[in-house]
Amino acid sequence: MRLSELTNGDRAIIVKVNGSGHFRRRMLEMGFIRGREIEVLRNAPLSDPIRYRLMGYELSLRKVEAFQLEVMTKQSVQ
């Protein structure tokens, strides 16, 4: 499942950061590391950007960026 597919209030575990080069490095530096939990806080009215909580801080990603991140919902883990 892709991070961009989640809705407000959903929580998930990061599985993989796709992409390469500068984008991948930036995502890893921001804390998008396998096994970390992420929560969707708010989708913008036009669905771009999307606000997330990761490691105690909030950040926004464009939908195309969020699509590059593979996640597993907590419901599917249990």
Side-chain angles (χ1 to χ4, degrees):
M1 169 178 260
R2 303 294 180 155
L3 184 60
S4 60
E5 298 172 13
L6 300 178
T7 59
N8 292 347
D10 286 349
R11 293 175 183 255
I13 304 296
I14 298 169
V15 175
K16 184 177 181 181
V17 177
N18 294 312
S20 61
H22 178 70
F23 172 78
R24 182 175 165 76
R25 183 173 43 250
R26 183 170 62 100
M27 292 294 108
L28 294 172
E29 289 172 352
M30 288 172 41
F32 288 91
I33 298 170
R34 182 185 312 193
R36 294 267 169 94
E37 182 179 322
I38 189 164
E39 178 184 3
V40 181
L41 298 177
R42 183 166 188 218
N43 280 293
L46 298 176
S47 78
D48 213 17
I50 306 168
R51 190 150 189 87
Y52 299 99
R53 178 176 290 127
L54 174 68
M55 296 178 10
Y57 67 94
E58 296 180 8
L59 60 119
S60 295
L61 293 177
R62 291 179 291 164
K63 198 164 197 151
V64 68
E65 294 170 329
F67 186 79
Q68 295 294 319
L69 300 159
E70 293 182 31
V71 297
M72 181 183 313
T73 59
K74 296 192 88 173
Q75 291 84 6
S76 63
V77 172
Q78 297 175 354

